[in-house]
Amino acid sequence: NGYYESRWNRCIYSNRDFSDMVFIDNYAFNKDVDVHFNSTVGYYVGYTEPGVHYAQLWNNNTNQLQQERAEVERYCKYNAEIRQSAIADKR
């Protein structure tokens, strides 16, 4: 009984040079995604009434939007390079 709120993000890619890397950030309430950010789209999309409201607020916040767009480089590529080099060192 109660409410369940979660946030999860993913870095998805298939090329070793990370040229196709995508950062996805999801916000969910009771297991339903309210707001979604995809770096290839470059802005938030709301799927529920509260999600649409938050997406509008966050899309109008240029600092937040720039920070979210930069996560591909800052978070995804940085960590993928570390993992890739760790795997390559094991060969």
Side-chain angles (χ1 to χ4, degrees):
N1 296 351
Y3 300 103
Y4 180 74
E5 189 170 349
S6 64
R7 176 185 181 188
W8 68 95
N9 53 48
R10 295 183 183 121
C11 302
I12 301 171
Y13 64 98
S14 59
N15 291 333
R16 286 183 173 234
D17 66 355
F18 312 129
S19 61
D20 63 341
M21 188 167 279
V22 177
F23 174 72
I24 297 173
D25 197 5
N26 289 298
Y27 297 79
F29 182 74
N30 287 347
K31 299 182 183 179
D32 292 326
V33 175
D34 286 328
V35 182
H36 173 88
F37 178 88
N38 181 320
S39 63
T40 57
V41 176
Y43 56 86
Y44 293 95
V45 175
Y47 296 105
T48 63
E49 187 175 337
V52 169
H53 173 74
Y54 286 120
Q56 289 174 341
L57 286 175
W58 297 343
N59 286 330
N60 288 325
N61 182 337
T62 55
N63 289 335
Q64 183 172 351
L65 210 51
Q66 285 177 339
Q67 187 175 4
E68 197 79 323
R69 289 173 180 159
E71 290 298 285
V72 171
E73 295 294 327
R74 189 197 70 79
Y75 176 72
C76 293
K77 289 184 181 179
Y78 173 79
N79 287 300
E81 288 169 356
I82 291 171
R83 288 187 188 106
Q84 192 173 47
S85 67
I87 292 168
D89 292 344
K90 302 279 189 246
R91 289 185 187 167

